[in-house]
Amino acid sequence: MKYKISLFLLFVFVLNSCQNEDEKRRAENEKEAKKKEVIFNTINKGWEFIDEPINEISEQKVSSWNEWREFLKEIADKPRKTIGAFQKKSAVISKKALALNDNIPAEFNVPAIKSRISVLITKVKMMDLFIHLNQIPAEKVTFLVGEINKELVSLERQMDNIIVKSKIPKEQGEEDFLKMLDTTRAIPNATAVPIQAQNTDNKLPKVE
């Protein structure tokens, strides 16, 4: 009899333990789900890129610079529903950003543009890194979205600045002055007459 009672009590204890574990697991799952929901909502709210050219010059480049057009197109396509969708989109944006180093239009293939593209790529890669962490720092991701927008504005304004400067007419004589400063255009002095060595034998005293 005592054996049956002990067995029954053990069964009740095990059953209660299992129920407690299930409740604990359920509570942890709910907590994790709420945490993921907060992360998703934060990123979803802050994922707002400047996906349209801010001036006429950058708008013109959308049609002629394929890599630039593809990048703007990619950031304009906002993910939906899951954090996984944002992670996939971030990876694609990072790839498109790297491609901006290719086929840069001749007028923009200058250090001022290249340096801004480099900074833009760095911030896109940082965003992609953070959003793929196991514990996603949502605030850092959205902060980097804002930083990327700043770099986009800076890049487009620099593009505009280059075009505006190229349209300013040079003053009379400026072109010739610039050519003179260009040492690669210097004409070698080919007319110099070599100095011939004089025959000094006649001046030497003769020894009798």
Side-chain angles (χ1 to χ4, degrees), residues 3-5 22 39 50 57-58 62 85 101 105 107 128 131 149 156 165 168 188:
Y3 174 75
K4 290 182 179 180
I5 293 174
D22 289 341
I39 291 173
I50 299 175
I57 301 302
S58 54
V62 170
N101 280 319
E107 65 268 37
D128 188 44
I131 204 171
N149 282 332
E156 293 188 10
K165 284 186 176 181
I168 298 176

Side-chain angles (χ1 to χ4, degrees), residues 61 103-110:
K61 289 302 135 187
N103 303 317
I104 300 175
E107 65 268 37
F108 298 143
N109 197 8
V110 295

Side-chain angles (χ1 to χ4, degrees), residues 18-194:
C18 290
Q19 289 177 342
N20 290 336
E21 286 295 325
D22 289 341
E23 289 177 2
K24 184 179 179 181
R25 193 178 298 109
R26 224 175 1 252
E28 290 177 351
N29 289 340
E30 289 178 0
K31 184 179 179 180
E32 188 65 23
K34 288 181 180 179
K35 186 177 179 180
K36 288 181 178 180
E37 183 180 0
V38 170
I39 291 173
F40 173 81
N41 289 336
T42 300
I43 293 177
N44 185 51
K45 184 178 179 181
W47 193 277
E48 296 294 339
F49 287 105
I50 299 175
D51 54 10
E52 292 292 335
I54 64 170
N55 53 41
E56 183 180 353
I57 301 302
S58 54
E59 187 173 4
Q60 291 173 358
K61 289 302 135 187
V62 170
S63 60
S64 59
W65 187 7
N66 185 61
E67 287 76 13
W68 179 246
R69 182 178 69 251
E70 290 296 321
F71 178 76
L72 292 182
K73 179 181 177 182
E74 206 60 54
I75 63 176
D77 183 21
K78 184 176 180 178
R80 303 291 176 186
K81 297 182 179 180
T82 65
I83 195 67
F86 280 98
Q87 290 173 327
K88 289 179 180 179
K89 174 58 68 175
S90 177
V92 176
I93 290 175
S94 182
K95 184 178 179 181
K96 296 293 183 181
L98 284 171
L100 290 175
N101 280 319
D102 301 330
N103 303 317
I104 300 175
E107 65 268 37
F108 298 143
N109 197 8
V110 295
I113 293 294
K114 288 182 175 181
S115 63
R116 283 168 173 77
I117 290 176
S118 179
V119 174
L120 175 63
I121 291 172
T122 298
K123 293 188 176 181
V124 170
K125 289 173 70 176
M126 287 176 63
M127 180 192 71
D128 188 44
L129 173 65
F130 283 129
I131 204 171
H132 280 92
L133 294 176
N134 291 331
Q135 299 295 327
I136 302 174
E139 292 78 10
K140 288 185 178 180
V141 173
T142 55
F143 171 78
L144 284 165
V145 170
E147 289 296 297
I148 291 167
N149 282 332
K150 290 179 182 179
E151 297 306 324
L152 285 171
V153 172
S154 176
L155 177 57
E156 293 188 10
R157 283 178 176 169
Q158 185 61 38
M159 290 163 60
D160 189 55
N161 189 43
I162 288 173
I163 297 300
V164 169
K165 284 186 176 181
S166 69
K167 292 180 179 179
I168 298 176
K170 291 183 172 63
E171 295 182 6
Q172 186 176 2
E174 182 179 356
E175 192 69 31
D176 293 334
F177 178 72
L178 292 174
K179 288 180 180 180
M180 289 174 62
L181 293 177
D182 188 354
T183 57
T184 61
R185 294 175 178 267
I187 301 174
N189 189 3
T191 59
V193 178

